[in-house]
Amino acid sequence: MTILHISAAQRTPELYFNFETNTFLLRGESYPEDVKDFYGPPIMQLEAHLEGLEGAQVRFTFEFVYLNSSTARVVMNLFDLLDSTAERGNAVTINWAFEPDDDNMEELGEEFGEDLEHATFTLLPR
């Protein structure tokens, strides 16, 4: 499977993982009733894919409008996964997109980005 696409729903974001181009996106609101049920299978596929990469370029874009604390933990784990992927010699870029007037989402992105040691992090006002 080279592309995994889940359309946004009322409580879940759009998820677009293109494993062929190493381009990944989460966009919208995220407060699923069961975080493990929604994020578990796609993240397992992502982990398996990233484990095998060497010298690749990876881009992950987060464009959340809202996320709950359970989703924030998932995002923290994704940041850790992406940073360890970069540590193994891959060029990993993480983009955190937010509305210019959304101070909360901007600050949240800054907090997530602070702990990165190997991946490149960019705040992107939309």
Side-chain angles (χ1 to χ4, degrees), residues 34-42 74:
D34 188 337
V35 172
K36 288 182 183 179
D37 185 48
F38 179 77
Y39 284 106
V74 168

Side-chain angles (χ1 to χ4, degrees), residues 3-8 12-19 24-28 38-43 45 60 78:
I3 294 177
L4 173 61
H5 183 241
I6 301 171
S7 296
T12 56
E14 175 184 9
L15 182 147
Y16 183 83
F17 288 3
N18 187 326
F19 296 100
F24 307 95
L25 168 72
L26 289 172
R27 174 178 32 217
F38 179 77
Y39 284 106
I43 290 177
Q45 288 180 333
F60 203 117
L78 282 170

